[in-house]
Amino acid sequence: MTKGNFPVDKLKGIETPFYYYDMDLLKKTLKIVKEETKKYGFIQHYAVKANANRRILELIASEGFGADCVSGNEVKAAVNAGFPASKIVFAGVGKTDKEINLALDLNIFSFNVESLPELEVINELANKKGKLAQVALRINPNVDAHTHEYITTGLNENKFGFSLAHLDAVIETLQTLKSIKLIGIHFHIGSQIEEIKTFEPLCEKVNELQIYFEEKGIKLEHINLGGGLGIDYENPDAHLIPDFASYFEMFHKYLKLRDGQMAHFELGRSIVAQCGALVTRVVYVKQGEQKAFAIVDAGMTDLIRPALYQAYHKIENISSDLPVKKYDVVGPICESSDVFVKSYDLNETSRGDMLVLRSAGAYGEIMASQYNCRELPKPYYSDKI
Ligand SMILES: Cc1ncc(COP(=O)(O)O)c(C=O)c1O
C-alpha cells in the first residue's frame, strides 16, 4: 500500500522516528535547478547547513553543484562527499583559526568574510602559508526579507556581514592586506522568503554597490546572492518543486551584471525540504478536558523548527482513512514547547498509527539533538528500502 508518495507497507517495519527521503524528487529538483541556472550562466552552491546527510550531499555533488559551508566540519563533509574544493564558499561570523587553516589548505574557492578582524586573521594565516586567500565581502544590504525574525539576516541590526557604513574603511584596510584577493561581494538576506519580489530590492542594492566599487577602481568578478527561496509548507503536494524558473529569471531581469561577471547562489531549503519527511508513530492518544493529544515518538529533538520558530509542518496520518478529528500533536520531550501543531485535523488516530511530518528535508535531520538522551533519528531513502 502507498499513501501519497509513501510506501506504507515498506515503512511499517522500520523503527520510528526516522527521516524518509524521496530521492527521485530530489533528483527532479536538482535537474530543474541545473536547467534554470544554465539558462543564465548562474552558479549554484548548495547550502550544506540545510541538510548534510552524506547520501544527499553525494547526489548534489555528483550533479556538479558547488557547496556553501558555514563551519570547518561542513567544508570537510562537502569535500568528503565529492564537492571539489574549488567550488566551495565558506561563510560564518566566527570562523576559527583552525577552520580558516583547513580551508586554506584545501584551497577553497572563497571565504565569505563577515568582519574586519576576520579579514585580518585570514590575511595573517594565508601569509604564514605563503598563500593568497580569495575573499568575497559579505555585505549587509539592510534589505528586509519579510520572514521570521530568527531567519532574517540582512538588516542592520543582524550580526551578519559588513554594514554599508563601514565599507570605505574596509576597502582602505584591504589595500594593506597582501595575502588577500578580493574577488567579489556576498549577500544573504534571510530564509523561507516566499515572495520572489522580496529579492528585487536586493538586486537594486547590488546594482548601486557595483557602481560604488567601480568608482573605487575595484573590479568584482563574482556576485553572490546567497539563498533564501521559500517553499510551500502549507500544501507541499501543490509545489513539490519550488518555482526556480521565476526566481532565477527575476535575478536575470533586475541584476545588472558586468561583462564576464559571475552570479552565484546558495540555495539550501528550496533544494532539499520537500524531499524529506519525518516519520513517527502515535504512542498514546490522550483525552484532555477540552482536547485530544496525539502523543508521538518524535519530538523537538528530531525536528526543532516548530519549537524554535513556530514553523508549521503539514502532518498526515498514513495509517488511517477515518474521518478527521482535532488533535494537538505533541512529542515526548520534557519541554512545553515540544508541540508540533495544535488543534489540527488528522484522520482519526490510535496507538501505533504512522504519521508523517512533511517538508522536513531542510533544517530537520541536521538540527536533531540527543537531549533527554534520545537516539538520533536514522535516515532511510526511497531507492534503498
Ligand atoms: C550565508 C547563507 N547562505 C545560504 C543559506 C541558505 O538559505 P536557504 O536554506 O534559505 O536557501 C543560509 C541560511 O541561513 C545562509 O546563512
Side-chain angles (χ1 to χ4, degrees):
M1 186 179 109
T2 57
K3 201 164 171 188
N5 262 346
F6 295 94
V8 181
D9 287 337
K10 287 184 180 164
L11 299 180
K12 254 190 219 158
I14 304 175
E15 188 185 350
T16 48
F18 61 89
Y19 274 90
Y20 174 69
Y21 293 107
D22 180 341
M23 299 307 273
D24 215 40
L25 176 59
L26 179 57
K27 279 184 198 152
K28 285 184 190 146
T29 307
L30 292 171
K31 184 168 175 276
I32 291 188
V33 175
K34 230 168 144 171
E35 285 166 5
E36 295 303 323
T37 45
K38 209 171 153 201
K39 270 189 198 165
Y40 312 111
F42 292 165
I43 299 170
Q44 156 65 12
H45 305 259
Y46 166 66
V48 173
K49 68 169 74 65
N51 190 325
N53 172 301
R54 178 67 184 246
R55 272 210 70 202
I56 287 181
L57 289 186
E58 281 174 355
L59 178 58
I60 298 175
S62 74
E63 293 294 332
F65 293 103
D68 159 45
C69 302
V70 290
S71 73
N73 282 347
E74 278 196 4
V75 172
K76 274 192 209 162
V79 169
N80 290 341
F83 289 93
S86 60
K87 290 186 182 174
I88 292 179
V89 294
F90 183 13
V93 294
K95 300 178 192 79
T96 62
D97 293 19
K98 184 176 165 191
E99 291 175 313
I100 293 168
N101 277 325
L102 168 83
L104 285 169
D105 289 341
L106 288 168
N107 294 320
I108 64 159
F109 175 64
S110 169
F111 291 87
N112 291 335
V113 175
E114 312 230 9
S115 70
L116 209 46
E118 182 194 331
L119 208 46
E120 287 164 349
V121 169
I122 295 175
N123 180 62
E124 188 188 316
L125 297 176
N127 182 266
K128 273 193 198 146
K129 290 180 186 290
K131 293 201 172 195
L132 188 61
Q134 302 211 118
V135 309
L137 299 178
R138 177 168 180 176
I139 299 176
N140 189 331
N142 200 23
V143 167
D144 193 346
H146 302 290
T147 183
H148 192 279
E149 60 173 321
Y150 288 6
I151 47 178
T152 289
T153 53
L155 287 173
N156 274 346
E157 65 262 31
N158 295 126
K159 68 178 175 180
F160 301 100
F162 291 97
S163 77
L164 296 168
H166 294 155
L167 277 186
D168 280 354
V170 173
I171 289 170
E172 219 167 279
T173 308
L174 263 176
Q175 332 259 298
T176 66
L177 304 178
K178 300 297 174 215
S179 299
I180 296 277
K181 180 180 179 208
L182 178 66
I183 60 162
I185 48 179
H186 170 240
F187 306 84
H188 173 72
I189 59 171
S191 201
Q192 184 50 17
I193 298 172
E194 291 172 80
E195 275 285 331
I196 286 174
K197 271 178 85 65
T198 305
F199 293 98
E200 288 177 20
L202 170 63
C203 294
E204 280 161 25
K205 250 320 171 345
V206 174
N207 293 340
E208 283 169 27
L209 277 161
Q210 290 257 49
I211 296 170
Y212 166 86
F213 277 94
E214 278 163 359
E215 283 174 0
K216 300 238 171 234
I218 296 171
K219 195 166 172 276
L220 300 168
E221 294 162 52
H222 302 277
I223 309 288
N224 184 332
L225 290 313
L229 177 63
I231 63 136
D232 191 346
Y233 282 101
E234 298 286 329
N235 194 2
D237 290 322
H239 300 108
L240 280 176
I241 300 182
D243 187 2
F244 293 108
S246 304
Y247 173 77
F248 289 116
E249 190 191 7
M250 192 282 308
F251 282 99
H252 173 67
K253 190 166 158 202
Y254 287 98
L255 265 187
K256 294 184 183 143
L257 291 177
R258 308 302 192 245
D259 275 353
Q261 208 169 42
M262 308 297 285
H264 299 246
F265 294 84
E266 301 173 340
L267 296 171
R269 181 192 313 269
S270 51
I271 306 235
V272 290
Q274 297 293 23
C275 78
L278 175 62
V279 185
T280 181
R281 274 195 179 81
V282 175
V283 189
Y284 301 110
V285 176
K286 171 173 153 177
Q287 194 58 51
E289 278 189 29
Q290 315 276 348
K291 50 165 93 170
F293 295 94
I295 303 171
V296 297
D297 60 8
M300 61 193 283
T301 49
D302 306 294
L303 178 63
I304 201 174
R305 297 187 67 257
L308 188 62
Y309 24 67
Q310 297 89 45
Y312 169 78
H313 286 267
K314 182 171 183 179
I315 304 181
E316 290 165 351
N317 185 346
I318 57 170
S319 304
S320 160
D321 286 318
L322 294 171
V324 295
K325 285 180 78 174
K326 288 229 184 283
Y327 299 91
D328 281 14
V329 181
V330 303
I333 312 298
C334 296
E335 296 288 338
S336 305
S337 55
D338 187 30
V339 173
F340 287 121
V341 69
K342 287 187 175 168
S343 193
Y344 192 72
D345 283 338
L346 209 56
N347 293 106
E348 184 174 350
T349 186
S350 51
R351 177 173 162 81
D353 278 1
M354 287 179 104
L355 309 187
V356 289
L357 285 90
R358 302 286 307 275
S359 317
Y363 307 106
E365 187 189 352
I366 191 69
M367 284 178 130
S369 78
Q370 293 194 292
Y371 181 45
N372 284 192
C373 288
R374 285 167 61 82
E375 281 173 24
L376 290 172
K378 290 198 183 80
Y380 291 87
Y381 310 91
S382 57
D383 57 352
K384 272 199 180 165
I385 54 165

